[in-house]
Amino acid sequence: MLSEFSLIDRFFARRASALPHPQGAALGIGDDCALLAPPAGEMLAISTDMLVEGRHFFPDVDPKALGHKALAVNLSDLAAMGAKPQAFTLAFSLPKADADWLSAFSDGLFELAGRQGCELVGGDTTSGPLNLCITVFGSVPPQAALRRDAAQPGDDIWVSGTLGDARASLGVQRGEWTADATDAATFRRAMEWPEPRIALGLALRGIARAALDVSDGLAGDLMHILERSQVNASVDADALPRSDALRRLPADVQRRCTIAGGDDYELCFTAPSTLREAVVAAGQQARVPVTRIGTITAPDPAGAVSTAAPMIVWHDASGAPLTLTLQGFDHFHAE
Amino acid sequence: MLSEFSLIDRFFARRASALPHPQGAALGIGDDCALLAPPAGEMLAISTDMLVEGRHFFPDVDPKALGHKALAVNLSDLAAMGAKPQAFTLAFSLPKADADWLSAFSDGLFELAGRQGCELVGGDTTSGPLNLCITVFGSVPPQAALRRDAAQPGDDIWVSGTLGDARASLGVQRGEWTADATDAATFRRAMEWPEPRIALGLALRGIARAALDVSDGLAGDLMHILERSQVNASVDADALPRSDALRRLPADVQRRCTIAGGDDYELCFTAPSTLREAVVAAGQQARVPVTRIGTITAPDPAGAVSTAAPMIVWHDASGAPLTLTLQGFDHFHAE
């Protein structure tokens, strides 16, 4: 059995120190604290996420994919802020110290970290039920940060990439619906290897107003923008971008997966309608498709500040209203 | 059953926003990321710790004490760096959303956070086996940081407070030894309510050379300073400070608890012998006793850089050498 310290050293500290250090933490792994500062005039954007076996991933998950995803879901929060990745800490508990598992996990983790220039600067390991907690640090000029509270009536609503494939994968694994092997593999890849939209977040600085990443399902997540910005929204459910594989599932499954799926890690953002060309250009620059799905509307017809909960009016491609009872993914609700 | 979001809101976000915000995060809970910056010319000191039920605390732990301790062990890392607390994030998984438990837990957490001026700026909650992961942020001018790699031959070695009470409590609970009710309560309080030595860490800026916090037992932790600084040490085991309660346990138990106990959260630091009065004054200013326990020695008699592992030479009050096989607390070893 490996000791805690040799574990850290073997799989993480050594690999971390072998990477280039583009962001130059003054002090990294091996002291009581890491020392980090944002570039002059910028702030650190900080986000933390915890992944639990059986809740966020299956016990038999490919450990390399898990290493990727654990960091990816955190980087996705930086992307949603328009922040540039700088560093991360990793704390995890493991039932046992399995060298093969740790090696594969760290492969997935460091491949993404290296690609995004994100340096491992600290961590903690302990024995216990499998649990991964990553905290990421990015840099952003405060006035360029893509916040949730900046949406304005008249803004277009956009999403990146496609929605629903991760939820489709879960449904295949649960037997809720079926797909052929190729489509099932497409879905599974979306669930296990989400790609954080860092380049898009950076390209949207100065263009997008409000943004977040879609992690708990579009319906629930978009509500966070509406609540913080005190606005409403009108969304075309038929405009939600989806993969060809998802289009081969029944229409009601497509709707469920795209609207309330969860685990998408795409950006949902608003931008003035005068900047449509700039949004499309940002997507091209970041090599990520962007799709316009709706409009931010005033909080109520009279224009007064409403105290009621915000509202999403869903409609189909013909403009006919839809009544939806789908909820965002909520960790304390059975689905 | 409370939903994830109402949970966060009820117990944490609302309490966080009710606190004064001395450090002024530009953006806290409720967005994809918090935005934080150190004061001009300083850096952020960052540390993360994960606490797991059954490993770091008992299932029947007082939740208020747990809330305190979860933050305290992280603040202790800031203290060991000479950093001033600024903010923290909290991620945790819980088997169920129990309002009484969460209320008591947050009481313990926010009492300490408020006292130390440390603002909750973000978090994540999920269902799962009980696990707490806190990441803390403090500020420190980089040249004033108390690092592990700065010890020099001839430095005195000091520790704050007393050692061993937390380990004594564990032994009482395990039936390894017995204590009367008053002493047992003293031990238990040390284990459950450690006080991070923030004020001492700040007072030691410019005085101490190397420092760390004793969390895994003095023997193991001091080795980290020796390894990073490439030096050896000579330590008087009889000089290790201990409580009156611990002095009433057998001599061999006292030795085991003070040398290899774990969970002490005192500072162990080195300072030039010319600065003894300044160290004592720093302790008085911080209202924490400080005790000189040994000396940093050269890596080998010839003065060449040694490639061998560093060494602690233990002796008793008479100067007679001790042979110790006690190990620091290691999470992947059975004790």
Side-chain angles (χ1 to χ4, degrees):
Chain A
M1 200 83 110
L2 290 168
S3 81
E4 177 186 16
F5 297 110
S6 61
L7 240 183
I8 295 173
D9 187 50
R10 180 162 167 197
F11 289 107
F12 297 96
R14 234 182 270 170
R15 295 196 65 160
S17 62
L19 280 177
H21 300 282
Q23 313 300 339
L27 190 60
I29 288 175
D31 217 302
D32 297 288
C33 296
L35 292 179
L36 203 67
E42 304 200 11
M43 296 190 84
L44 281 185
I46 301 170
S47 182
T48 191
D49 270 301
M50 180 174 272
L51 273 68
V52 178
E53 182 178 88
R55 187 76 220 175
H56 299 96
F57 55 90
F58 293 103
D60 65 345
V61 65
D62 169 9
K64 185 173 175 182
L66 183 61
H68 169 92
K69 184 166 176 176
L71 182 58
V73 303
N74 278 281
L75 290 173
S76 181
D77 285 311
L78 293 185
M81 210 75 196
K84 182 176 187 305
Q86 187 166 353
F88 70 108
T89 60
L90 166 68
F92 59 94
S93 61
L94 279 177
K96 61 188 170 71
D98 179 314
D100 289 342
W101 192 95
L102 283 163
S103 177
F105 174 82
S106 64
D107 279 350
L109 185 81
F110 283 110
E111 271 182 22
L112 180 59
R115 191 150 50 81
Q116 296 289 355
C118 196
E119 183 180 351
L120 178 64
V121 294
D124 191 21
T125 59
T126 184
S127 64
L130 187 55
N131 184 308
L132 304 162
C133 184
I134 287 182
T135 306
V136 284
F137 311 98
S139 58
V140 63
Q143 69 282 7
L146 307 177
R147 303 164 59 125
R148 293 182 175 183
D149 59 6
Q152 294 185 17
D155 278 4
D156 294 325
I157 304 171
W158 300 78
V159 294
S160 65
T162 61
L163 299 175
D165 279 359
R167 180 65 185 87
S169 182
L170 191 64
V172 170
Q173 288 174 268
R174 284 177 176 171
E176 295 174 301
W177 45 77
T178 57
D180 69 28
T182 307
D183 287 352
T186 297
F187 298 149
R188 186 158 184 153
R189 187 167 171 84
M191 186 174 69
E192 295 191 341
W193 295 88
E195 188 58 35
R197 301 304 190 191
I198 294 291
L200 180 61
L202 294 172
L204 287 172
R205 286 183 183 177
I207 298 170
R209 282 206 174 107
L212 50 60
D213 71 317
V214 181
S215 57
D216 295 334
L218 178 66
D221 285 331
L222 178 55
M223 286 295 281
H224 298 314
I225 287 183
L226 305 187
E227 285 162 2
R228 303 270 297 183
S229 301
Q230 296 199 300
V231 292
N232 290 329
S234 168
V235 179
D236 177 358
D238 287 332
L240 302 183
R242 65 206 75 182
S243 68
D244 291 342
L246 189 61
R247 288 185 189 282
R248 285 186 279 272
L249 291 182
D252 65 317
V253 171
Q254 292 182 40
R255 192 148 277 172
R256 180 172 177 188
C257 291
T258 51
I259 293 180
D263 254 8
D264 294 304
Y265 303 106
E266 295 294 348
L267 298 189
C268 173
F269 57 96
T270 82
S273 59
T274 52
L275 294 182
R276 282 179 191 170
E277 286 179 21
V279 170
V280 171
Q284 283 167 344
Q285 184 190 329
R287 298 173 186 235
V288 183
V290 289
T291 304
R292 193 156 48 85
I293 62 166
T295 308
I296 295 292
T297 57
D300 71 38
V305 173
S306 170
T307 55
M311 198 170 56
I312 305 175
V313 175
W314 296 91
H315 59 85
D316 66 16
S318 75
L322 300 173
T323 302
L324 295 174
T325 55
L326 301 168
Q327 297 299 320
F329 183 74
D330 190 309
H331 293 192
F332 278 98
H333 284 128
E335 267 202 306
Chain B
M1 199 82 111
L2 290 169
S3 81
E4 178 186 18
F5 297 110
S6 61
L7 241 184
I8 295 173
D9 187 50
R10 179 162 167 197
F11 290 107
F12 297 97
R14 234 182 267 170
R15 295 197 64 161
S17 63
L19 281 177
H21 299 282
Q23 313 300 338
L27 189 61
I29 289 175
D31 216 303
D32 297 288
C33 296
L35 292 179
L36 202 66
E42 304 200 11
M43 295 189 84
L44 281 185
I46 300 171
S47 181
T48 191
D49 270 301
M50 179 173 270
L51 274 68
V52 178
E53 182 177 87
R55 186 77 219 173
H56 299 96
F57 55 89
F58 293 103
D60 65 346
V61 65
D62 169 9
K64 185 173 175 181
L66 183 61
H68 169 91
K69 185 167 176 176
L71 182 58
V73 304
N74 279 282
L75 289 174
S76 182
D77 286 310
L78 293 185
M81 212 73 196
K84 182 177 187 304
Q86 188 166 353
F88 70 106
T89 60
L90 166 68
F92 59 94
S93 61
L94 278 178
K96 60 188 171 69
D98 178 315
D100 289 341
W101 192 97
L102 283 164
S103 177
F105 175 82
S106 64
D107 280 349
L109 184 82
F110 283 110
E111 272 181 23
L112 179 60
R115 192 149 51 79
Q116 296 289 355
C118 196
E119 184 180 351
L120 179 64
V121 294
D124 191 20
T125 59
T126 183
S127 63
L130 188 53
N131 184 307
L132 304 162
C133 184
I134 286 181
T135 306
V136 284
F137 310 97
S139 58
V140 63
Q143 69 282 7
L146 307 177
R147 302 164 59 125
R148 293 182 176 184
D149 59 5
Q152 294 186 16
D155 278 5
D156 294 324
I157 305 172
W158 300 77
V159 294
S160 66
T162 62
L163 299 175
D165 279 0
R167 181 64 184 86
S169 181
L170 192 64
V172 169
Q173 288 174 267
R174 285 176 175 171
E176 294 174 302
W177 45 76
T178 57
D180 68 28
T182 307
D183 287 352
T186 297
F187 297 148
R188 185 156 185 153
R189 186 168 172 83
M191 184 173 71
E192 294 191 342
W193 294 89
E195 188 59 35
R197 300 305 190 191
I198 294 291
L200 181 61
L202 294 173
L204 287 172
R205 284 183 183 177
I207 298 170
R209 281 205 174 107
L212 50 60
D213 72 317
V214 181
S215 55
D216 295 335
L218 177 66
D221 285 331
L222 178 55
M223 286 295 281
H224 298 314
I225 286 183
L226 305 186
E227 285 162 1
R228 303 271 297 183
S229 300
Q230 296 200 299
V231 292
N232 290 330
S234 168
V235 178
D236 177 357
D238 288 331
L240 301 183
R242 65 205 75 181
S243 68
D244 291 341
L246 190 61
R247 287 184 190 281
R248 284 187 279 273
L249 291 182
D252 64 316
V253 172
Q254 290 183 40
R255 192 148 277 171
R256 179 171 178 189
C257 290
T258 51
I259 293 180
D263 254 8
D264 294 303
Y265 303 106
E266 295 294 348
L267 298 190
C268 173
F269 56 96
T270 83
S273 58
T274 52
L275 294 182
R276 282 179 191 170
E277 286 180 20
V279 170
V280 171
Q284 285 167 342
Q285 184 190 330
R287 300 176 186 232
V288 183
V290 288
T291 305
R292 193 155 49 86
I293 62 165
T295 308
I296 295 292
T297 57
D300 71 37
V305 172
S306 170
T307 55
M311 197 172 56
I312 305 175
V313 176
W314 296 90
H315 59 83
D316 66 15
S318 75
L322 298 173
T323 304
L324 295 174
T325 55
L326 302 166
Q327 298 297 321
F329 182 75
D330 190 309
H331 293 192
F332 277 99
H333 284 128
E335 269 201 304

